[in-house]
Amino acid sequence: MSTAGKIIKCKAAVLWELKKPFSIEEVEVAPPKASEVRIKMVATGLCRTDDHMISGQLALPLPVILGHEAAGIVESIGEEVTTVKPGDKVILLFLPQCGKCAVCNHPEGNICLKNDVIVPRGTMQDGTTRFTCRGKPVYHFFNTSSFSEYSVVDETSVVQIDPASPLEKVCLIGCAFSTGYGSAVNVAKKTQVTKGSTCAVFGLGGVGLCVVMGCKAAGAARIIAVDPNKYKFAKAQEVGATECISPQDFKKPIHEVVKEMSGGGVDFSFEVVGQHDTIVSALSCCHKAYGVSVIIGAPPSSEDLRIDPTLLLTGRTWKGAIFGGYKGKDSVPKLVADFMAKKFPLDSIITHVLPFEKINEGFDLLRSGKSIRTILTF
Ligand code: PAD
Ligand code: ZN
Ligand code: ZN
């Protein structure tokens, strides 16, 4: 490869300030260090988590290159890299799997201790960045930074996938699909949705719709979908929701409505919005004796949530999951294989495909509730 070992100049969407549009800039992308991989991006999805970063709901250092739901092709690798090689089709992993830490070595759990998600530093493992723009270092995001034509990630944050897979679709396995689907079928055995159960899903964005798919795949008999934006209902029904309701259509609190609909409380509930009120509603609407509620939406950081402990005392289980509980290096290639075997659809949640330069338009669509997932292609 002629670019290996050299700085690559390319276009990236840089966020200089919170709550401002991205500016498309020329950036310099340094070659990968020993345990790193440089990737030519092919497709990236726009996720609400990126938007939480833009709005400041989650904290991170600036200027930054966001983006974490992506697929691309390996351009070059550092000398210690063994699991991918130039030319491989890959998915980026916003949750790494180092294979060495206590979490990676435990059968449950996926928050590898090498992650840059819980308290983002915005750097590579060695504390430095590979991006420069206008002479200034630019921070990484979740060790993925896919809103750039080229990005450098640690080897633990990338995995090879089937060379036949369509990258502009399977990029969704890098976040929305795995997060939503895995939350239903995989988030620890105890909370796995059971056959014939009743589920409630709060929030029908790209992630919430994949929770609906997961509930259906696990054999749920009823899936009650909740969202104030009724535009989302048709898609929810298409992927398996049996009833769709808007909180705005009822005078009483939505958890009371769901409890009544399910004869005392649902077996499983999922919060896929990222707000405190919906986190509490989701917990409250699951059955007081055996209900399980899973938090998926990313709530505002460093704010306390108050709940009545009686909600748990009576027997409810309250859980959370990032990336659907999947260990990325192990699971993502299998999920891509399942997609190739037509075990689940991804087309249903892709409503828009735009060229990378139209990234600000893509986020406007997300914020106005007019899109489910927008894919940017490079
Ligand atoms: P999205 O914005 O596409 O979807 C959110 C949906 O919630 C929209 O359809 C809204 O209309 C709906 N909504 C808003 N208010 C309410 C309400 N009061 N009741 C019910 N629904 C409501 O986002 P997304 O699907 O990309 O992401 C959803 C959340 O999940 C978001 O907080 C994101 O940061 C988080 C997320 N978490 C993980 C993880 O690993 N845990 C991964 C990806 C995204
Ligand atoms: Zn995401
Ligand atoms: Zn690890």
Side-chain angles (χ1 to χ4, degrees), residues 58-281:
L58 302 174
L60 84 172
L62 296 170
V64 66
I65 296 175
L66 297 175
H68 64 281
E69 182 176 76
I73 295 170
V74 174
E75 175 268 340
S76 62
I77 56 174
E79 62 272 18
E80 289 170 12
V81 171
T82 57
T83 59
V84 294
K85 58 183 185 310
D88 282 353
K89 278 193 183 177
V90 291
I91 286 182
L92 282 65
L93 305 173
F94 74 85
L95 265 191
Q97 186 181 350
C98 75
K100 293 179 187 150
C101 73
V103 178
C104 285
N105 283 321
H106 195 281
E108 305 294 339
N110 64 346
I111 314 284
C112 169
L113 299 181
K114 294 275 183 198
N115 81 78
D116 197 35
V117 169
I118 307 304
V119 187
R121 290 178 307 164
T123 63
M124 304 300 291
Q125 296 293 341
D126 68 359
T128 64
T129 85
R130 302 290 164 270
F131 296 116
T132 312
C133 181
R134 302 190 209 169
K136 291 198 187 93
V138 177
Y139 288 100
H140 296 249
F141 171 59
F142 284 4
N143 205 350
T144 45
S145 291
S146 59
F147 297 162
S148 175
E149 289 175 321
Y150 286 85
S151 186
V152 176
V153 308
D154 199 83
E155 183 182 10
T156 56
S157 296
V158 59
V159 69
Q160 189 196 355
I161 56 165
D162 181 347
S165 42
L167 298 184
E168 72 287 359
K169 293 184 183 162
V170 298
C171 61
L172 292 174
I173 293 174
C175 184
F177 178 76
S178 309
T179 299
Y181 196 85
S183 296
V185 304
N186 187 49
V187 175
K189 309 213 168 27
K190 258 200 222 152
T191 68
Q192 187 176 9
V193 168
T194 44
K195 226 173 159 46
S197 61
T198 298
C199 302
V201 180
F202 289 72
L204 305 174
V207 182
L209 291 178
C210 294
V211 175
V212 173
M213 284 185 211
C215 292
K216 185 181 171 191
R222 287 178 68 193
I223 304 168
I224 303 169
V226 186
D227 200 304
N229 181 349
K230 292 186 179 176
Y231 153 71
K232 313 275 172 136
F233 289 0
K235 284 280 177 195
Q237 277 159 347
E238 187 186 317
V239 297
T242 56
E243 291 125 285
C244 294
I245 55 172
S246 161
Q248 288 165 352
D249 288 346
F250 301 91
K251 286 218 174 75
K252 60 175 85 165
I254 196 67
H255 69 270
E256 295 290 349
V257 176
V258 175
K259 266 164 104 173
E260 274 170 25
M261 287 171 75
S262 55
V266 297
D267 298 290
F268 301 92
S269 67
F270 300 87
E271 199 280 350
V272 212
V273 185
Q275 292 171 12
H276 287 176
D277 59 334
T278 41
I279 288 174
V280 177
S281 296

Side-chain angles (χ1 to χ4, degrees), residues 279-295:
I279 288 174
V280 177
S281 296
L283 176 63
S284 310
C285 81
C286 73
H287 197 281
K288 66 177 177 228
Y290 49 74
V292 176
S293 188
V294 182
I295 300 175

